[in-house]
Amino acid sequence: MEENTINKEWYVIHTYSGYENKVKDNLEKRVETLNMQDKIFRIVVPEEKRVITTPTGKKREINKKTFPGYVLVELVMTDESWFIVRNTPGVTGFVGSHGGGSKPEPLLPEEINFILKEMGLASISEIDMEKGDRVKIISGPFSDMEGIVSNIDLPNYKVDVLIELMGRSTKVELELYHVEKITNY
């Protein structure tokens, strides 16, 4: 398993425009049903939040696709993972593939780090957190609460945090990008 994390790289897949989320859902289901969690990890539709004004004058926040027609996939490139991704309904191919059955080139680390940072997500190399650290929850239903890290699941980008809820210590599982380490407590 440790060997796989070394070979994990990000790839760009091309989809029909407007089908990015459907492709993401289809691929996530295939990863689970085909038991490929050790080869295919994160699937991200690059989006940014925008505030628009409705015709009635109200401001509303929407998610706008940063790269329409593209989905990012973090995986270990094997014949099997390559086959599963490119044969997912809605996927038209990998970006960076030279055709003729050749495997695609992955994104450079600086490219994916820039994209993830723009989306408010972290790359695994930027995670500076360990068990016992005090964290603040920065988004989601427990936003602005503080807690203690009880477990970190790096391959799945999840963290268990103990928070105090109604006078009891309660464990909540969060995405890593939903918490931020408190350095001065």
Side-chain angles (χ1 to χ4, degrees), residues 10 40-44 72-74 116 121-124 155 157:
W10 284 91
I40 302 172
F41 304 95
R42 289 195 285 178
I43 303 155
V44 176
L72 305 174
V73 182
E74 183 183 37
L116 292 176
L121 303 174
S123 70
I124 202 160
Y157 297 88

Side-chain angles (χ1 to χ4, degrees), residues 45-53 59-67 115-121 138-140 143 177-178:
V45 176
E47 297 177 323
E48 62 184 1
K49 291 191 185 307
R50 290 232 176 122
V51 177
I52 61 164
T53 306
K59 295 204 182 288
R60 203 176 96 203
E61 196 173 88
I62 62 163
N63 287 330
K64 181 157 175 57
K65 305 273 185 298
T66 310
F67 305 113
I115 294 168
L116 292 176
K117 215 173 235 162
E118 288 294 306
M119 293 178 60
L121 303 174
I138 56 174
S139 61
S143 187
Y177 61 87
H178 285 283

